Amino acid sequence: MTYVFPPAPVVSLPIAGSEQLFPVRRIYCVGRNYADHAIEMGHDPSKEAPFFFQKNPDNLRSDGQFPYPSQSSDVHHEVELVVALHRGGRDITPEQALSHVFGYAIGLDMTRRDLQGEAKKAGRPWEVGKAFEASAPCGPISLAEQVGHLAEGPISLQVNGQLRQQGNLNQLIWKTADMLAYLSGYFELAPGDLIFTGTPAGVGPVQRGDVLLAQIEGLGHLGCQVV
Ligand code: MN
């Protein structure tokens, strides 16, 4: 059996302190998971169940560069805690959920906000706003057995040395265990899945030449230049 053309390479992320790579299967993203960000986007955070959208695995970028995408003049940064799974399943209970977590990383859910806004208004899907090339810069995965299960601590983003986003992981509306349990009721999760868990308030536009510095306590930092 041969393929008619070479299959796409396996997308992977580096693992902190390891020569091995983490092979990525799917990327889920949680929308509006910090109250102050839900409010800044015009929503009432107390009234919503979690909701999800997806990016493509090959939208990941781990080389510290974010090429400014086509078709947008309002591209926003969203700093997020990323959860990486080494075990899957359906209908996972909140009590079991954290045993499915391999580790955590710092990610950026880069967003064409103008196109996302048009899609929202028209009741259309979000792919053009969310799932474009290089839309998911992500740092190396730190093992949960080394850094613990991150439930609190500062999360922030600076642009050119200026603080733009600031929050604390303890402000997540849907905590990691409950969010994974909920997600696994809709999708069969599997090893290699990543979940971007949502962003705190302060999202805003980036320009070519900007230097982004994302930080989460316990995970170090992720630097990214807009090119
Ligand atoms: Mn996001």
Side-chain angles (χ1 to χ4, degrees):
M1 183 81 139
T2 59
Y3 296 107
V4 291
F5 51 81
V10 173
V11 175
S12 63
L13 286 176
I15 298 169
S18 171
E19 295 295 306
Q20 290 192 294
L21 296 171
F22 180 91
V24 177
R25 191 186 79 121
R26 292 183 185 168
I27 303 176
Y28 297 98
C29 304
V30 187
R32 300 193 284 264
N33 203 18
Y34 288 78
D36 53 356
H37 174 63
I39 291 165
E40 80 177 346
M41 299 304 284
H43 296 268
D44 180 347
S46 66
K47 288 187 177 165
E48 288 190 319
F51 70 94
F52 300 90
F53 58 91
Q54 285 177 271
K55 294 192 185 230
N56 304 295
D58 67 355
N59 296 154
L60 286 167
R61 238 354 232 262
S62 52
D63 66 351
Q65 293 209 325
F66 172 71
Y68 199 95
S70 63
Q71 304 291 338
S72 177
S73 55
D74 192 27
V75 177
H76 279 202
H77 53 74
E78 297 190 358
V79 61
E80 310 204 357
L81 173 71
V82 178
V83 177
L85 303 187
H86 63 168
R87 197 175 301 153
R90 297 180 200 179
D91 298 321
I92 298 165
T93 66
E95 294 72 30
Q96 300 168 322
L98 293 183
S99 71
H100 296 249
V101 175
F102 175 74
Y104 298 91
I106 304 172
L108 293 168
D109 168 17
M110 300 303 290
T111 302
R112 287 165 163 154
R113 192 72 73 203
D114 42 4
L115 301 191
Q116 184 200 23
E118 289 169 18
K120 281 182 186 173
K121 215 179 295 174
R124 290 178 182 155
W126 287 7
E127 276 85 350
V128 294
K130 289 290 194 179
F132 55 92
E133 269 54 62
S135 61
C138 193
I141 297 170
S142 294
L143 272 64
E145 62 188 38
Q146 290 176 2
V147 299
H149 289 289
L150 303 182
E152 75 175 313
I155 173 171
S156 67
L157 182 84
Q158 296 175 29
V159 179
N160 303 326
Q162 288 200 319
L163 189 62
R164 293 277 188 86
Q165 290 191 260
Q166 192 174 25
N168 191 299
L169 298 180
N170 64 17
Q171 297 163 340
L172 280 167
I173 296 171
W174 286 86
K175 310 298 182 196
T176 299
D178 293 331
M179 177 273 295
L180 287 174
Y182 192 93
L183 181 62
S184 73
Y186 286 89
F187 299 96
E188 179 162 0
L189 303 180
D193 288 349
L194 300 178
I195 301 98
F196 281 59
T197 58
T199 199
V203 299
V206 300
Q207 312 295 337
R208 279 195 181 85
D210 283 350
V211 175
L212 313 184
L213 181 66
Q215 294 179 279
I216 295 178
E217 189 175 81
L219 298 180
H221 67 273
L222 168 68
C224 188
Q225 179 159 34
V226 184
V227 298

